[in-house]
Amino acid sequence: MKKKLFLLVFTMLLCKANAQGEQIQIETQNTALILKAGKNGVLYQSYLGTKLRDNSGYNVVSKESTKSFVVNDGNPLVNLRHQAYPTFGTENLFEPAIRMTHNDGNPSLELNYVNHSTQKLDANTTETIIKLKDPVYPVEVTLHYKAFYNENTIEQWTEIVHHEKKPVMLYNYASSMLHFDADHYWLTQFHGDWAKEARMQESELTSGTKIIDSKLGVRTDMYQTPVFFLSLNAKANENSGELVAGTIAWSGNFKFTFELDNKNSLRISSGINPFASEYNLEPGRVFTTPSFIYTFSNKGKGQASRNLHSWAKKYGVKDGEKSRLTLLNNWETTFFNFDEKKLTDMFADSKTLGVDMFLLDDGWFGNKYPRSGDKSGLGDWQATKTKLPNGIGFLMQEAEKTGIKFGIWIEPEMVNPKSELYEKHPDWVLKLPNRPESYYRTQLVLDLCNPQVQDFVFKTVDDIMQTKQGVAFFKWDCNRMMTNAYSAYLKNQQSHLFIEYTRGLYKVLDRIKMKYPNLPMMLCAGGGGRTDYGLLQYFTEFWASDNTDPFNRVFIQWGYSQFFPAFSICNHVTSWGNQSIKFKTDVAMMGKLGFDINVKELKEKELKYCQEAVANYKRLSPVIWHGDLYRMISPYDESRAVLMYVNESKSKAVLFSYTLHPLYDPQYNAVRFQGLDPNKTYKVEEINLMPEAKKSVEESGESFTGDYLMNVGLRVSSSKVESSVVLEITEL
């Protein structure tokens, strides 16, 4: 016994001795995260902020001190007192990153630094892997940091594994823990509900804990979008201030915890929400957390957004560097009431409008229980014979003859009780034993923890793709959150449900992506109920909100633009609102343009305007989708919104100005442009004008230097309620 104890103590001392002085630099072009193993063997975060020119500066901020803490004035720098991945049960007094109970009932964990490695994955990407280990129990935690040099973005996640004889219970399993020391902290969160998604709200953090989370299982972003800005010392604005922008690549329950301690230090924990999700981890099995993605900016929120947009284009969104399809959707024209002739007539409307694709929405499936409303048919993915006697293959052929592509709506994770699927497989749904079934939108959630259900959902897509030449596009919907949260498949491991459901969904989407790698899909969830980089690796875009009133959409799209690039945010021109077709279209052109209108009801001038606007959009879409976004005037600050996109070479830009609800004739001041080259000369031309309409911008057609446009500016806003101006800016 004494010999074993001696070996254990010797191993602990050796591990700590080897760890002393190890400093780990994780850097991008402008940002540095510095970690260091202390004399006690524990890994600490010693610096997160602007990259220093001289590496010796990191040694100063990482210097161990006999004082309880050291703060470097005015900067988000800390000394060795902030554990990089704090545990529970020993000396940590605050929120832990990890908490577990061992086989012997011991609820504590210690993690000492073992080693680290850094490798370049490509010219732009470096991954640092840090191994931590409990000196007593056979538990290992591996921290992963992937740094994207040009995008100034870091992706961080954690792997947990143990080799005890029986499963251990995990209670907390954060993806990351970040630390800051500042005088003040300002949190910008994005909250809402159906039809009012991604509304921005900023507040100063005070002592204690602030939590942003979701417990909804699916449609998780219904109330809180999983993103945030954290400003240091003072409120950051678009062009100045220090801040971190963060988001989680997870499509289930998430949790951000902001804890301000007794020393005015802030720790941010990010990851899966452990609520009702204690996890029995089997020996040897690796528990991998989702990625936390973040960027540090010392030039305000605008630069943070551009960093994330640039990252998303290359790494975060499926086919982010490829083009997108403009479309006409039938939903608001027909709702559930259509047949083959109505649809094929709309193919011709799509061609007339000039869009790329026709999208068939809800209501095309079910035979024993035809889908004539939202109460039946969901889960029975066969074309309704009374509506579509020749099947969807016929529609594909007719669309091809018309010269457009054909897309289709599905909601494969859900089922109506009034369906053949439910009659055959009542055990495939999530529902509580000994409780009445609880419905939302008259439907239930299928149990994607079950591999048989995963096979069914994959087959739903695969069968449609096997019809004739296959569809060109899927709109994948999800119209309810998770209640009845019980899986018959999981049996006595119900606390795994929220995690295994999301993993099951990813397994299905992995199979789809592998078999149909070039298939574009829209992510939809009763509006913007799913907007995260976990699912966007499988989807080319997302539906931002069912609210398409353009006044409200300015705020919704403004909110999403903080974290998601324009090409990923779907905006449609619809019958919502009583604004002009020009205002509706100009607002929709801020992102990925689509239409959901009855083209035949458009007046001659309206149709001509739409055709010209679609042509302009297709010509300018590379700038809108992939250019740098500059938000100049916020609708939260004034009764207008002004933003512009500038391409990489600064040779082309598009400016959008939306006047909302001014109280009186506002006589708006000139707006200073951003992102142009001061040494270049640009022609400014107002486009998207109604036939025979006068131009709103007097200087339209004139030329100016970038220097003039950025330092003097132009009057770009109309004074009329709910009006818009679009400017094309071209280098001469």
Side-chain angles (χ1 to χ4, degrees), residues 192-208:
D193 198 348
W194 179 82
K196 48 180 180 288
E197 293 88 345
R199 297 303 176 102
M200 296 171 61
Q201 188 176 54
E202 189 167 27
S203 58
E204 184 174 6
L205 293 176
T206 57
S207 301

PDB file of all heavy atoms in Angstrom, residues 192-208:
ATOM      1  N   GLY A 192     -36.084  36.698 -28.976  1.00  0.00           N
ATOM      2  CA  GLY A 192     -37.315  36.919 -29.718  1.00  0.00           C
ATOM      3  C   GLY A 192     -38.303  35.798 -29.535  1.00  0.00           C
ATOM      4  O   GLY A 192     -38.340  35.110 -28.522  1.00  0.00           O
ATOM      5  N   ASP A 193     -39.096  35.596 -30.560  1.00  0.00           N
ATOM      6  CA  ASP A 193     -40.127  34.561 -30.585  1.00  0.00           C
ATOM      7  C   ASP A 193     -40.504  34.405 -32.049  1.00  0.00           C
ATOM      8  O   ASP A 193     -39.920  35.053 -32.929  1.00  0.00           O
ATOM      9  CB  ASP A 193     -41.316  34.996 -29.733  1.00  0.00           C
ATOM     10  CG  ASP A 193     -42.227  33.828 -29.355  1.00  0.00           C
ATOM     11  OD1 ASP A 193     -42.070  32.727 -29.939  1.00  0.00           O
ATOM     12  OD2 ASP A 193     -43.106  34.004 -28.486  1.00  0.00           O
ATOM     13  N   TRP A 194     -41.501  33.579 -32.311  1.00  0.00           N
ATOM     14  CA  TRP A 194     -41.958  33.435 -33.684  1.00  0.00           C
ATOM     15  C   TRP A 194     -42.350  34.809 -34.242  1.00  0.00           C
ATOM     16  O   TRP A 194     -43.035  35.588 -33.588  1.00  0.00           O
ATOM     17  CB  TRP A 194     -43.164  32.488 -33.743  1.00  0.00           C
ATOM     18  CG  TRP A 194     -43.697  32.323 -35.126  1.00  0.00           C
ATOM     19  CD1 TRP A 194     -43.228  31.506 -36.103  1.00  0.00           C
ATOM     20  CD2 TRP A 194     -44.814  33.028 -35.701  1.00  0.00           C
ATOM     21  NE1 TRP A 194     -43.965  31.648 -37.251  1.00  0.00           N
ATOM     22  CE2 TRP A 194     -44.943  32.584 -37.035  1.00  0.00           C
ATOM     23  CE3 TRP A 194     -45.693  33.998 -35.229  1.00  0.00           C
ATOM     24  CZ2 TRP A 194     -45.937  33.060 -37.888  1.00  0.00           C
ATOM     25  CZ3 TRP A 194     -46.678  34.472 -36.087  1.00  0.00           C
ATOM     26  CH2 TRP A 194     -46.794  33.997 -37.391  1.00  0.00           C
ATOM     27  N   ALA A 195     -41.862  35.132 -35.415  1.00  0.00           N
ATOM     28  CA  ALA A 195     -42.163  36.366 -36.154  1.00  0.00           C
ATOM     29  C   ALA A 195     -41.443  37.600 -35.608  1.00  0.00           C
ATOM     30  O   ALA A 195     -41.637  38.699 -36.122  1.00  0.00           O
ATOM     31  CB  ALA A 195     -43.669  36.634 -36.224  1.00  0.00           C
ATOM     32  N   LYS A 196     -40.624  37.439 -34.594  1.00  0.00           N
ATOM     33  CA  LYS A 196     -39.813  38.576 -34.126  1.00  0.00           C
ATOM     34  C   LYS A 196     -38.446  38.082 -33.656  1.00  0.00           C
ATOM     35  O   LYS A 196     -37.999  38.387 -32.552  1.00  0.00           O
ATOM     36  CB  LYS A 196     -40.535  39.369 -33.039  1.00  0.00           C
ATOM     37  CG  LYS A 196     -41.147  38.588 -31.896  1.00  0.00           C
ATOM     38  CD  LYS A 196     -41.809  39.548 -30.924  1.00  0.00           C
ATOM     39  CE  LYS A 196     -42.451  38.835 -29.744  1.00  0.00           C
ATOM     40  NZ  LYS A 196     -43.677  38.115 -30.120  1.00  0.00           N
ATOM     41  N   GLU A 197     -37.809  37.336 -34.530  1.00  0.00           N
ATOM     42  CA  GLU A 197     -36.538  36.708 -34.204  1.00  0.00           C
ATOM     43  C   GLU A 197     -35.371  37.706 -34.201  1.00  0.00           C
ATOM     44  O   GLU A 197     -35.432  38.762 -34.824  1.00  0.00           O
ATOM     45  CB  GLU A 197     -36.226  35.588 -35.215  1.00  0.00           C
ATOM     46  CG  GLU A 197     -37.152  34.395 -35.160  1.00  0.00           C
ATOM     47  CD  GLU A 197     -38.399  34.507 -36.017  1.00  0.00           C
ATOM     48  OE1 GLU A 197     -38.714  35.641 -36.470  1.00  0.00           O
ATOM     49  OE2 GLU A 197     -39.062  33.483 -36.247  1.00  0.00           O
ATOM     50  N   ALA A 198     -34.308  37.307 -33.493  1.00  0.00           N
ATOM     51  CA  ALA A 198     -32.992  37.972 -33.533  1.00  0.00           C
ATOM     52  C   ALA A 198     -33.057  39.466 -33.228  1.00  0.00           C
ATOM     53  O   ALA A 198     -32.378  40.266 -33.867  1.00  0.00           O
ATOM     54  CB  ALA A 198     -32.325  37.733 -34.890  1.00  0.00           C
ATOM     55  N   ARG A 199     -33.861  39.831 -32.242  1.00  0.00           N
ATOM     56  CA  ARG A 199     -33.903  41.233 -31.819  1.00  0.00           C
ATOM     57  C   ARG A 199     -32.736  41.498 -30.858  1.00  0.00           C
ATOM     58  O   ARG A 199     -32.519  40.748 -29.916  1.00  0.00           O
ATOM     59  CB  ARG A 199     -35.234  41.571 -31.159  1.00  0.00           C
ATOM     60  CG  ARG A 199     -36.437  41.417 -32.107  1.00  0.00           C
ATOM     61  CD  ARG A 199     -36.291  42.263 -33.350  1.00  0.00           C
ATOM     62  NE  ARG A 199     -37.367  42.073 -34.307  1.00  0.00           N
ATOM     63  CZ  ARG A 199     -38.379  42.917 -34.467  1.00  0.00           C
ATOM     64  NH1 ARG A 199     -38.461  44.007 -33.727  1.00  0.00           N
ATOM     65  NH2 ARG A 199     -39.299  42.676 -35.373  1.00  0.00           N
ATOM     66  N   MET A 200     -32.027  42.591 -31.097  1.00  0.00           N
ATOM     67  CA  MET A 200     -30.827  42.902 -30.326  1.00  0.00           C
ATOM     68  C   MET A 200     -31.185  43.593 -29.019  1.00  0.00           C
ATOM     69  O   MET A 200     -32.045  44.469 -28.981  1.00  0.00           O
ATOM     70  CB  MET A 200     -29.896  43.792 -31.149  1.00  0.00           C
ATOM     71  CG  MET A 200     -29.350  43.133 -32.390  1.00  0.00           C
ATOM     72  SD  MET A 200     -28.457  44.291 -33.470  1.00  0.00           S
ATOM     73  CE  MET A 200     -27.146  44.823 -32.372  1.00  0.00           C
ATOM     74  N   GLN A 201     -30.478  43.186 -27.949  1.00  0.00           N
ATOM     75  CA  GLN A 201     -30.689  43.786 -26.637  1.00  0.00           C
ATOM     76  C   GLN A 201     -29.334  43.851 -25.934  1.00  0.00           C
ATOM     77  O   GLN A 201     -28.653  42.837 -25.808  1.00  0.00           O
ATOM     78  CB  GLN A 201     -31.668  42.942 -25.829  1.00  0.00           C
ATOM     79  CG  GLN A 201     -32.106  43.555 -24.518  1.00  0.00           C
ATOM     80  CD  GLN A 201     -33.158  42.695 -23.837  1.00  0.00           C
ATOM     81  OE1 GLN A 201     -32.958  41.513 -23.617  1.00  0.00           O
ATOM     82  NE2 GLN A 201     -34.294  43.291 -23.522  1.00  0.00           N
ATOM     83  N   GLU A 202     -28.945  45.031 -25.465  1.00  0.00           N
ATOM     84  CA  GLU A 202     -27.639  45.206 -24.845  1.00  0.00           C
ATOM     85  C   GLU A 202     -27.806  45.662 -23.403  1.00  0.00           C
ATOM     86  O   GLU A 202     -28.627  46.519 -23.098  1.00  0.00           O
ATOM     87  CB  GLU A 202     -26.806  46.225 -25.622  1.00  0.00           C
ATOM     88  CG  GLU A 202     -25.359  46.309 -25.168  1.00  0.00           C
ATOM     89  CD  GLU A 202     -24.482  47.090 -26.135  1.00  0.00           C
ATOM     90  OE1 GLU A 202     -25.021  47.971 -26.840  1.00  0.00           O
ATOM     91  OE2 GLU A 202     -23.269  46.811 -26.186  1.00  0.00           O
ATOM     92  N   SER A 203     -27.011  45.070 -22.512  1.00  0.00           N
ATOM     93  CA  SER A 203     -27.087  45.432 -21.100  1.00  0.00           C
ATOM     94  C   SER A 203     -25.735  45.215 -20.447  1.00  0.00           C
ATOM     95  O   SER A 203     -24.919  44.417 -20.913  1.00  0.00           O
ATOM     96  CB  SER A 203     -28.154  44.598 -20.379  1.00  0.00           C
ATOM     97  OG  SER A 203     -27.870  43.211 -20.512  1.00  0.00           O
ATOM     98  N   GLU A 204     -25.491  45.946 -19.348  1.00  0.00           N
ATOM     99  CA  GLU A 204     -24.242  45.777 -18.627  1.00  0.00           C
ATOM    100  C   GLU A 204     -24.367  44.610 -17.656  1.00  0.00           C
ATOM    101  O   GLU A 204     -25.372  44.477 -16.954  1.00  0.00           O
ATOM    102  CB  GLU A 204     -23.880  47.054 -17.864  1.00  0.00           C
ATOM    103  CG  GLU A 204     -22.528  46.965 -17.180  1.00  0.00           C
ATOM    104  CD  GLU A 204     -22.084  48.258 -16.535  1.00  0.00           C
ATOM    105  OE1 GLU A 204     -22.889  49.219 -16.511  1.00  0.00           O
ATOM    106  OE2 GLU A 204     -20.933  48.314 -16.053  1.00  0.00           O
ATOM    107  N   LEU A 205     -23.351  43.768 -17.641  1.00  0.00           N
ATOM    108  CA  LEU A 205     -23.342  42.648 -16.710  1.00  0.00           C
ATOM    109  C   LEU A 205     -23.009  43.150 -15.307  1.00  0.00           C
ATOM    110  O   LEU A 205     -22.152  44.015 -15.117  1.00  0.00           O
ATOM    111  CB  LEU A 205     -22.316  41.605 -17.141  1.00  0.00           C
ATOM    112  CG  LEU A 205     -22.620  40.864 -18.445  1.00  0.00           C
ATOM    113  CD1 LEU A 205     -21.478  39.925 -18.804  1.00  0.00           C
ATOM    114  CD2 LEU A 205     -23.930  40.078 -18.341  1.00  0.00           C
ATOM    115  N   THR A 206     -23.687  42.603 -14.326  1.00  0.00           N
ATOM    116  CA  THR A 206     -23.432  42.938 -12.931  1.00  0.00           C
ATOM    117  C   THR A 206     -23.021  41.675 -12.187  1.00  0.00           C
ATOM    118  O   THR A 206     -22.987  40.576 -12.749  1.00  0.00           O
ATOM    119  CB  THR A 206     -24.683  43.550 -12.282  1.00  0.00           C
ATOM    120  OG1 THR A 206     -25.773  42.622 -12.406  1.00  0.00           O
ATOM    121  CG2 THR A 206     -25.074  44.850 -12.961  1.00  0.00           C
ATOM    122  N   SER A 207     -22.701  41.799 -10.918  1.00  0.00           N
ATOM    123  CA  SER A 207     -22.230  40.661 -10.130  1.00  0.00           C
ATOM    124  C   SER A 207     -23.199  39.491 -10.223  1.00  0.00           C
ATOM    125  O   SER A 207     -24.415  39.668 -10.211  1.00  0.00           O
ATOM    126  CB  SER A 207     -22.084  41.058  -8.662  1.00  0.00           C
ATOM    127  OG  SER A 207     -21.182  42.109  -8.516  1.00  0.00           O
ATOM    128  N   GLY A 208     -22.616  38.306 -10.268  1.00  0.00           N
ATOM    129  CA  GLY A 208     -23.438  37.110 -10.339  1.00  0.00           C
ATOM    130  C   GLY A 208     -23.393  36.485 -11.718  1.00  0.00           C
ATOM    131  O   GLY A 208     -22.429  36.653 -12.461  1.00  0.00           O
TER     132      GLY A 208
END
